[in-house]
Amino acid sequence: MNIDDEHGTTVLRRVADEPPRRRFLDVLIGKPLATADAPRETIGKIIGLAVFASDALSSTAYATQEMLVILAAAGTVAFGYVFPLSLVIVGLLVIVTISYEQTIHAYPNGGGAYIVARDNLGAQASKIAAAALLSDYVLTVAVSISSGVAQIVSAYPHLYQYRVLIAVAMVGFMMLINLRGVRESGIIFAIPTYFFIVTMFTMVITGLVRYFTGGLGLVVDPPELELLHGTQPITLFLILRAFSNGTTALTGVEAISNGIPAFKEPRSKNAGITLIWMSSILGALLLGISFLAAHVQAIPSEYETVISQLARTIYDQRGVFYLVTISATTVILIMAANTAFADFPRLGALTAADGLLPRQLAQRGSRLVFSRGIIMLAFLASLLIIVFQASVTRLIPLYAIGVFLSFTLSQFGMARRWHKIGRLSPGQEVKERGSVLHYDPNWKIKMIVNGFGAFATFVVMWIFAITKFTDGAYLVIFVITVLVAIFSVIHQHYLSVAKKLSLDRYGTTPPRIVRNRVILPIGGVHRGTLAALRYARALSDDITAVHIAIEPEEAEKVRRKWEMYGDGVRLVIIESSYRVFMKPLLDYIEDIYSSRQPNEVITIVVPQFISSNRWANVLHMNTADALREELLTYKGIVITNVPYLID
């Protein structure tokens, strides 16, 4: 219990550590975890590679094929360019990896391009970065799942007509696994990830040995070469289009910088090592697959993937090793969606906390993950798969431009950060929202590294935008623009609400009017809260304000404000270990109810602010209706909400 001497306010603390009632959903996703379990839910480097690298590693299964799809327009003679293009892409991978390794150590709390842009380039740049990444994560799920289904169809062609249904079912499965939590999903996916790595390296090494010993032939009965735009000469534009298709191999490289908080301490070190592991494996596999695909003259096709052709050529038709390779590739492509499922909800929560998306996305679910973000991602990805009929070739033009836009903003932001650090004096410290700036004697070198990274990714972004514009890249540009506009509208709404609820220059509460006993649930202390308190005073002088503490910092803020504005009304803070709001509140009300006197009425006064814009009301929770539903049958309990109108 705390008593504020200046204001005479009593603050009581109560811990609600009883787990929520069991639900059917708990059977599928596991029992609820307490907030105190969060440190135990972090992951190490081995599991981290499975969680955050599956997207990048899986791209080796289709990046080479997508380059060949474009080069095929000039005939099989152009396939010889696929390996040189892969060398350039690996060089770009090295640049991006070095740049993001610096980002990981500079921003140990994660957030990647969004946080870097927000702190160094301003609000508009951060909105663009968030829009680019969120749209890219949706495409990651759609592309990776569709590509995984394409592998299945390659082995079992009679399933082709069911590919969309299979893909949507796979998205649902991934959603369910991720709702179980980061650590558990990582453990589940670790074995398939390493199985894929071993299987692919085995295939590549076997193929190289057979090539250098003269035993590797050409693909037997390859699919028919499909020319999407007719025969074309080998031009610079054609080469650049193929290059832009191949740069999809870099999607997912930024994932680790976004998910640093998921790693065990020391977080930045573990995340940085995992990033280097991932990039090394990715580069080696991309070069090996591209080299061998060009030699065996694999043909890009919707009906049989390049990996399938390569495996049956290396292993002499469809034997056990072929089936193992196809199985491993299918699994990793489906699992690639896991990277997006790990990062989309985190980024959604960050943007929601900053008021760019509905606040509900910032709330953790029963398994300490951002459940609403996971469900939203699954819905949007399924919609894309249905619209584009699970076609990787149709989805690829939409892919990667968002990634390289975020790459560019992140690296340019980091270059700006090093420039700011260079202006500090040794020993000087400047705290920003996402990190702390300290003088670094090597700031010039690091600024050059990030600056060069920004230039390289900027060039690739424009190559991609120009060469893929008519193929669908314009849709991504349009979507990003719309998302930025939506962010601005939502943010403006929250700013307007905060301004109208602000207690600045508000003064004191009106005199009390004694009536009857009142319980006043509060989520925060603002003008709407004090309007409800004023109404409660008209009913009774026996008033208890109740705050369910989900986050300790927020609860402390509520306590300080209540001591200042609560005018002596007692406050009960109930610490909810499982981040559940309704059950601890109901338990407290039931405790009061069980000890009430005969003919005593308990009035629950719920503050509620209402916006004059109807659409904006969906951005806020309605506690009064939820309480009415739960307490409707309780005799002697009256529930009323006090609306505070915001024009």
Side-chain angles (χ1 to χ4, degrees), residues 159-218:
L159 294 177
Y160 183 79
Q161 60 181 322
Y162 303 109
R163 66 193 185 282
V164 175
L165 183 61
I166 296 171
V168 172
M170 292 295 185
V171 173
F173 173 74
M174 294 295 299
M175 177 190 74
L176 195 62
I177 295 298
N178 278 275
L179 286 173
R180 297 186 65 88
V182 175
R183 187 174 67 91
E184 190 161 338
S185 64
I187 293 172
I188 292 172
F189 293 140
I191 294 176
T193 298
Y194 289 103
F195 176 60
F196 167 79
I197 293 172
V198 171
T199 301
M200 293 302 289
F201 271 113
T202 300
M203 183 189 74
V204 169
I205 292 172
T206 302
L208 290 174
V209 169
R210 292 194 61 184
Y211 170 77
F212 286 111
T213 56
L216 184 64
L218 305 180

Side-chain angles (χ1 to χ4, degrees), residues 1-163:
M1 180 176 72
N2 291 15
I3 299 178
D4 179 50
D5 294 333
E6 182 179 351
H7 300 93
T9 303
T10 300
V11 178
L12 306 176
R13 290 192 178 273
R14 169 173 168 162
V15 178
D17 56 2
E18 180 185 350
R21 289 191 298 268
R22 297 284 289 179
R23 306 166 298 168
F24 172 74
L25 187 61
D26 295 343
V27 177
L28 298 176
I29 67 174
K31 66 179 183 180
L33 297 172
T35 304
D37 294 328
R40 292 190 290 274
E41 288 297 300
T42 53
I43 56 179
K45 297 186 291 293
I46 301 298
I47 301 298
L49 188 66
V51 172
F52 293 106
S54 53
D55 176 21
L57 297 181
S58 70
S59 62
T60 58
Y62 55 79
T64 299
Q65 173 162 325
E66 295 308 317
M67 283 189 280
L68 292 174
V69 165
I70 301 302
L71 294 172
T76 56
V77 67
F79 288 174
Y81 286 93
V82 73
F83 183 68
L85 286 175
S86 297
L87 285 172
V88 177
I89 291 170
V90 170
L92 183 62
L93 171 64
V94 172
I95 295 170
V96 172
T97 300
I98 293 173
S99 298
Y100 267 105
E101 209 275 336
Q102 292 189 168
T103 302
I104 285 172
H105 291 283
Y107 290 87
N109 293 321
Y114 171 69
I115 298 297
V116 175
R118 185 193 68 187
D119 285 6
N120 299 286
L121 303 178
Q124 196 65 19
S126 69
K127 291 175 186 176
I128 295 172
L133 282 172
L134 289 173
S135 59
D136 180 73
Y137 288 140
V138 176
L139 283 164
T140 294
V141 176
V143 170
S144 60
I145 295 290
S146 298
S147 187
V149 172
Q151 297 292 331
I152 297 175
V153 170
S154 295
Y156 304 99
H158 63 280
L159 294 177
Y160 183 79
Q161 60 181 322
Y162 303 109
R163 66 193 185 282

Side-chain angles (χ1 to χ4, degrees), residues 298-321:
I299 303 297
S301 170
E302 283 273 321
Y303 299 95
E304 184 182 11
T305 63
V306 167
I307 293 295
S308 174
Q309 297 172 55
L310 199 56
R312 66 182 175 86
T313 302
I314 292 172
Y315 294 127
D316 296 324
Q317 297 308 311
R318 302 174 187 263
V320 174
F321 288 106

Side-chain angles (χ1 to χ4, degrees), residues 449-496:
V449 169
N450 283 122
F452 182 69
F455 172 76
T457 54
F458 178 77
V459 171
V460 173
M461 180 191 70
W462 274 105
I463 291 174
F464 201 103
I466 293 170
T467 60
K468 297 297 180 184
F469 187 82
T470 57
D471 292 333
Y474 70 92
L475 286 174
V476 179
I477 297 172
F478 173 75
V479 168
I480 290 175
T481 304
V482 170
L483 280 175
V484 170
I486 292 173
F487 292 160
S488 298
V489 171
I490 293 176
H491 190 225
Q492 187 59 44
H493 166 73
Y494 281 128
L495 288 177
S496 176

Side-chain angles (χ1 to χ4, degrees), residues 525-547:
V525 183
H526 45 65
R527 294 189 180 189
T529 307
L530 300 189
L533 176 60
R534 183 165 63 248
Y535 175 79
R537 286 193 179 282
L539 302 177
S540 173
D541 60 353
D542 186 4
I543 303 171
T544 302
V546 181
H547 174 72

Side-chain angles (χ1 to χ4, degrees), residues 276-542:
I276 294 172
W277 288 356
M278 177 187 71
S279 299
S280 301
I281 296 170
L282 170 60
L285 287 179
L286 179 63
L287 290 176
I289 291 171
S290 296
F291 179 82
L292 292 172
H295 175 76
V296 304
Q297 296 183 14
I299 303 297
S301 170
E302 283 273 321
Y303 299 95
E304 184 182 11
T305 63
V306 167
I307 293 295
S308 174
Q309 297 172 55
L310 199 56
R312 66 182 175 86
T313 302
I314 292 172
Y315 294 127
D316 296 324
Q317 297 308 311
R318 302 174 187 263
V320 174
F321 288 106
Y322 167 83
L323 292 176
V324 168
T325 303
I326 293 299
S327 299
T329 306
T330 301
V331 171
I332 195 65
L333 283 167
I334 293 171
M335 282 176 45
N338 189 57
T339 298
F341 275 106
D343 276 346
F344 180 96
R346 290 178 179 276
L347 180 57
L350 284 171
T351 53
D354 286 345
L356 304 184
L357 285 174
R359 301 283 193 194
Q360 294 90 326
L361 289 174
Q363 297 174 356
R364 293 180 185 269
S366 64
R367 297 288 294 178
L368 292 170
V369 292
F370 301 103
S371 306
R372 291 182 178 88
I374 292 173
I375 295 170
M376 178 186 290
L377 173 60
F379 171 77
L380 294 174
S382 297
L383 190 62
L384 263 185
I385 288 171
I386 294 170
V387 170
F388 289 90
Q389 291 294 290
S391 171
V392 178
T393 300
R394 293 174 64 191
L395 285 166
I396 280 293
L398 309 177
Y399 203 30
I401 186 171
V403 173
F404 280 94
L405 176 55
S406 67
F407 282 172
T408 302
L409 290 172
S410 175
Q411 303 319 309
F412 185 65
M414 283 296 297
R416 176 79 194 285
R417 183 180 189 273
W418 295 123
H419 181 261
K420 290 190 294 184
I421 285 175
R423 299 168 66 181
L424 299 179
S425 304
Q428 186 180 358
E429 178 180 291
V430 176
K431 187 173 182 179
E432 295 187 336
R433 291 179 65 186
S435 68
V436 179
L437 304 182
H438 299 278
Y439 178 77
D440 188 329
N442 299 317
W443 68 271
K444 287 185 179 179
I445 296 175
K446 294 180 178 180
M447 183 178 69
I448 291 172
V449 169
N450 283 122
F452 182 69
F455 172 76
T457 54
F458 178 77
V459 171
V460 173
M461 180 191 70
W462 274 105
I463 291 174
F464 201 103
I466 293 170
T467 60
K468 297 297 180 184
F469 187 82
T470 57
D471 292 333
Y474 70 92
L475 286 174
V476 179
I477 297 172
F478 173 75
V479 168
I480 290 175
T481 304
V482 170
L483 280 175
V484 170
I486 292 173
F487 292 160
S488 298
V489 171
I490 293 176
H491 190 225
Q492 187 59 44
H493 166 73
Y494 281 128
L495 288 177
S496 176
V497 169
K499 181 178 180 180
K500 293 172 182 177
L501 292 175
S502 174
L503 294 171
D504 294 341
R505 299 182 300 276
Y506 182 63
T508 60
T509 57
R512 294 184 295 173
I513 302 174
V514 177
R515 286 295 176 90
N516 70 345
R517 187 173 184 178
V518 174
I519 295 175
L520 178 66
I522 63 171
V525 183
H526 45 65
R527 294 189 180 189
T529 307
L530 300 189
L533 176 60
R534 183 165 63 248
Y535 175 79
R537 286 193 179 282
L539 302 177
S540 173
D541 60 353
D542 186 4

